[in-house]
Amino acid sequence: MLTREDVEKVAGLARLKLTEEEISEMADKLSQVISYVTVLDEVDVSNVEPMAHVADVANIFREDAVRESLPREAALDNAPKSDGKYFLVPQILENA
Amino acid sequence: MDYTTIIGLEVHVQLLTKSKIFCGCANLFNPDNPNVQTCPVCLGLPGSLPVMNRKAFQLSVKTGLALNCDIASFTKWDRKQYYYPDLPKAYQISQFDLPFSADGWVDIEVPSTGETRRVRLIRAHLEEDAGKNIHDESGRGADSRVDLNRTGTPLLEIVTQPDIRSAEEARIFLEDLRLMLRYLAVSDCEMQEGSLRCDANVNLHVEENGETIPTPIVEIKNLNSFRGVEAAIEHELKKQVKAWQTDPRRMGEVPKTTVGWDANRNATFEQRGKEEAADYRYFPDPDLCPVTITQEEVDEIRSTICELPGVRRTRYVSELGLTPYDAGVIVDQGAEFASYFDEVCVTCGDGKQAANWVTQDVQRELNERKLEIGEFPVSAPVLGAVLKKVVDGELTIKSGREVFATLLSDAGDGTRISAERIDAIIADKGLGKEQDTGKIDAVIQAVLDRNAAVAEDVRNGRMQAVGPLIGQVMRELKGADAKDVRQMILDKLQG
Ligand SMILES: [Zn+2]
């Protein structure tokens, strides 16, 4: 069972602000999800290699060649705020 | 207070690829043109997929081998998740539990103690760099600006064991690492441009009542100069000693602190205080498949590693008989310079002679002309050929210098400098060493006859009088060796 502290921590990591109601609702829902996947604990995996990737492939590379980048206007197009050269974000406090 | 200083470093190195690690955007330091080297992949736009740059992986393995690391036959990519404006995907592609290399070491020489110290490396892994934030420094709280040109630059993170015992050792480790990476041509290591950056973890092991007590670790972030590394650690150590003396705290009693270094004020400032330990929730990146490497492939990359600075320095001292100082001067100039020296040395067959000329004459000319060794008009075989004549006794050192100077001034006129020019210059200027002792003898006799009083002084033991006599002889016999002439005069007068 997830505690409300667990939910608050996960929400904090995801930068989500939850109301009191949402916190208890999420505690329930997340607990359900987790109890659902705990079924997996019943499987003996002691002799199974951890899987790094679902597809059984390795070594997909591209050669080191430069391709054209987006024009700056296109790069900045989706930004909530820009000055035409940079993305603008609310002041970052290094000691926050 | 009896204590040991404990320092571990985390070094970030940008790799010298043409394109970024997971996309085809240019990997170029370009702060004057922000946000022109981006694409859907490095902007983290939905639906885009990263593909690994082969060269970035090869350069990493090359570095890992030079750092004496074990190369993993299987390695994978993980997402390290945190929010920061310079990280558009809100996760960094990095390596968590299966880095491509681990368990290496670097030996450093510490001049102040004369010791060789081994710094063990925990691991080196590959990841992508973040973008760059530019903060408003007016204090009016204006928006921060974000440039994503750097996002996705291939970045090597090298983590040492806490084996470093002083600020000086930390600086030397970093200087040696930089030189090695430049020899390997895996990074330009321009610290001003941020392609080599360093974080330092610093604490003390205090000995008290037969107990070793570790103090809380302080991490100093983003050091980007050698001087900064040494000064910041020095400063932090003083602070920690004082803290122990006034309010002793053990490791674990207070959380790890992170500080920045203000080079202008020569002080550290706290960045994050009581924040809970970072929780990055690493998991394997489903967008990238693992990389496997065979022993043959590792060996092939190993065969591309040139002779590294440490090995070179030792060889110059033990095989060529150079002083450690001269060996250091040559090696520190970089791989190209050291190779130039090697070729001069092989051509003339005398390491010390080659070292003298390369570290004095050649370096002086390079400095005056603001040239790199690759642009120097007198190539190594040509200088080697001049020195061969000096070594074989066909030219005096003085005449050798004149040939060298003439070659250089000819180069200024656009004349192609080849070894054939040397004999022509020697003939033109009559620089060939005078080997005809009969002729030298005759000139000496004539000079002594003209200067009977001075000769008498020398005969009576006033040795400083011999100088002007040598001078007169040399004016008449350009190619004579001053040392030989001196001896011949003395033989005549005292014999
Ligand atoms: Zn890109």
Side-chain angles (χ1 to χ4, degrees):
Chain A
M1 189 66 196
L2 258 77
T3 63
R4 80 173 274 122
E5 284 74 37
D6 292 331
V7 175
E8 280 173 341
K9 185 183 173 206
V10 173
L13 286 169
R15 299 290 188 272
L16 293 174
K17 201 169 191 170
L18 301 183
T19 63
E20 282 302 311
E21 280 156 43
E22 284 169 330
I23 290 174
S24 46
E25 191 189 331
M26 281 300 154
D28 272 354
K29 284 189 172 163
L30 288 174
S31 298
Q32 278 172 38
V33 173
I34 287 185
S35 74
Y36 177 67
V37 294
T38 46
V39 171
L40 294 173
D41 286 345
E42 293 164 18
V43 186
D44 178 11
V45 291
S46 50
N47 289 316
V48 180
E49 280 283 307
M51 185 179 65
H53 200 275
V54 285
D56 191 17
V57 285
N59 303 337
I60 306 295
F61 290 106
R62 42 173 279 274
E63 296 311 313
D64 182 26
V66 175
R67 286 171 55 177
E68 207 179 333
S69 293
L70 290 174
R72 184 191 282 146
E73 306 76 65
L76 296 173
D77 207 31
N78 287 316
K81 200 171 176 188
S82 90
D83 63 0
K85 277 180 99 173
Y86 292 94
F87 295 89
L88 295 182
V89 297
Q91 189 183 36
I92 303 162
L93 298 171
E94 286 293 354
N95 50 2
Chain B
M1 180 176 166
D2 183 11
Y3 68 90
T4 311
T5 299
I6 310 290
I7 301 162
L9 299 180
E10 270 174 40
V11 184
H12 286 98
V13 183
Q14 289 181 346
L15 296 177
L16 260 184
T17 53
K18 294 191 192 79
S19 63
K20 292 186 178 181
I21 184 169
F22 297 123
C23 64
C25 292
N27 171 18
L28 199 69
F29 180 69
N30 191 6
D32 295 334
N33 298 291
N35 294 307
V36 295
Q37 289 151 216
T38 70
C39 72
V41 172
C42 58
L43 288 173
L45 299 187
S48 60
L49 280 175
V51 186
M52 179 79 210
N53 180 336
R54 185 190 303 274
K55 177 88 180 190
F57 188 74
Q58 287 170 337
L59 293 180
S60 304
V61 172
K62 189 177 179 184
T63 310
L65 288 169
L67 296 172
N68 305 298
C69 286
D70 298 330
I71 304 299
S73 58
F74 179 97
T75 184
K76 70 172 172 72
W77 311 100
D78 301 280
R79 292 184 178 182
K80 176 182 181 178
Q81 309 185 76
Y82 63 94
Y83 283 93
Y84 211 62
D86 60 14
L87 190 72
K89 297 193 297 299
Y91 63 83
Q92 177 190 31
I93 303 175
S94 181
Q95 300 201 282
F96 180 52
D97 56 337
L98 296 173
F100 78 87
S101 78
D103 288 331
W105 50 265
V106 172
D107 282 340
I108 58 168
E109 312 276 336
V110 187
S112 66
T113 60
E115 266 185 299
T116 300
R117 302 251 310 120
R118 176 156 295 187
V119 177
R120 292 168 301 157
L121 306 175
I122 298 173
R123 60 191 273 164
H125 73 248
L126 188 53
E127 60 189 27
E128 54 176 345
D129 207 348
K132 183 131 187 72
N133 297 316
I134 300 151
H135 307 296
D136 173 51
E137 275 161 12
S138 69
R140 288 193 294 270
D143 288 335
S144 293
R145 294 174 295 164
V146 183
D147 174 9
L148 297 182
N149 279 346
R150 195 175 74 177
T151 310
T153 298
L155 196 65
L156 213 57
E157 179 174 317
I158 301 165
V159 186
T160 78
Q161 293 278 5
D163 284 350
I164 296 166
R165 293 288 170 270
S166 69
E168 182 199 19
E169 285 184 19
R171 173 181 49 77
I172 293 168
F173 171 83
L174 215 58
E175 284 172 347
D176 282 7
L177 181 65
R178 178 177 191 267
L179 191 63
M180 180 197 280
L181 296 170
R182 288 173 62 99
Y183 267 69
L184 290 168
V186 296
S187 173
D188 62 15
C189 296
E190 292 294 348
M191 298 183 86
Q192 297 286 334
E193 300 180 0
S195 52
L196 178 71
R197 325 194 281 270
C198 174
D199 302 336
N201 283 288
V202 181
N203 76 333
L204 310 174
H205 281 180
V206 181
E207 304 295 336
E208 218 167 75
N209 310 320
E211 195 192 350
T212 304
I213 309 161
T215 63
I217 295 176
V218 173
E219 180 175 13
I220 316 169
K221 282 279 193 195
N222 265 323
L223 297 163
N224 57 7
S225 74
F226 296 123
R227 201 152 26 102
V229 168
E230 194 165 12
I233 294 175
E234 209 67 78
H235 174 86
E236 182 54 39
L237 286 171
K238 276 190 200 130
K239 226 166 81 178
Q240 290 189 16
V241 168
K242 210 167 154 196
W244 179 263
Q245 287 163 341
T246 50
D247 178 21
R249 299 285 185 143
R250 291 168 179 246
M251 186 189 283
E253 286 181 0
V254 288
K256 176 176 160 174
T257 4
T258 304
V259 299
W261 172 246
D262 186 335
N264 297 324
R265 290 193 302 123
N266 216 43
T268 51
F269 57 91
E270 195 150 322
Q271 282 189 323
R272 274 168 239 150
K274 293 169 195 69
E275 189 192 323
E276 55 192 301
D279 183 349
Y280 294 122
R281 295 150 295 146
Y282 283 97
F283 72 85
D285 192 320
D287 288 346
L288 287 157
C289 54
V291 174
T292 61
I293 187 163
T294 62
Q295 191 55 49
E296 290 72 51
E297 289 168 311
V298 171
D299 291 341
E300 200 185 314
I301 294 176
R302 195 193 300 275
S303 71
T304 66
I305 295 177
C306 65
E307 188 183 25
L308 294 173
V311 179
R312 230 167 178 140
R313 228 176 267 136
T314 311
R315 176 168 66 85
Y316 287 170
V317 173
S318 65
E319 287 178 27
L320 301 181
L322 305 195
T323 62
Y325 177 81
D326 279 344
V329 167
I330 293 167
V331 169
D332 287 352
Q333 294 299 312
E336 229 187 320
F337 190 88
S339 299
Y340 181 96
F341 164 75
D342 278 336
E343 205 177 339
V344 172
C345 183
V346 167
T347 316
C348 79
D350 184 331
K352 283 186 186 168
Q353 196 70 253
N356 283 343
W357 284 70
V358 166
T359 58
Q360 292 165 30
D361 303 69
V362 174
Q363 227 177 354
R364 183 190 60 238
E365 295 297 334
L366 289 176
N367 289 343
E368 275 173 17
R369 290 154 193 259
K370 302 209 171 8
L371 291 179
E372 297 291 327
I373 189 72
E375 309 161 301
F376 193 57
V378 181
S379 68
V382 173
L383 177 58
V386 175
L387 296 194
K388 177 94 174 65
K389 289 188 188 294
V390 174
V391 172
D392 290 348
E394 291 171 36
L395 272 181
T396 64
I397 290 183
K398 191 160 163 275
S399 302
R401 290 225 153 81
E402 205 168 330
V403 173
F404 179 68
T406 311
L407 286 169
L408 272 172
S409 64
D410 284 2
D413 303 337
T415 311
R416 207 176 73 83
I417 301 302
S418 68
E420 288 82 68
R421 283 281 301 137
I422 299 169
D423 289 333
I425 293 170
I426 292 171
D428 280 0
K429 306 210 165 199
L431 291 171
K433 185 164 166 182
E434 188 52 68
Q435 316 255 15
D436 181 348
T437 44
K439 189 171 166 195
I440 301 175
D441 195 71
V443 174
I444 289 176
Q445 197 52 58
V447 168
L448 292 183
D449 291 347
R450 283 205 304 272
N451 298 274
V454 184
E456 192 53 34
D457 279 351
V458 176
R459 227 178 248 122
N460 292 333
R462 223 171 61 81
M463 295 309 288
Q464 58 268 49
V466 78
L469 296 176
I470 299 171
Q472 286 194 39
V473 175
M474 295 300 288
R475 267 195 293 282
E476 291 187 38
L477 282 172
K478 242 188 170 170
D481 186 274
K483 240 167 59 197
D484 292 351
V485 169
R486 178 190 161 89
Q487 196 52 53
M488 287 173 78
I489 293 174
L490 292 182
D491 287 350
K492 263 186 190 301
L493 295 177
Q494 299 176 329

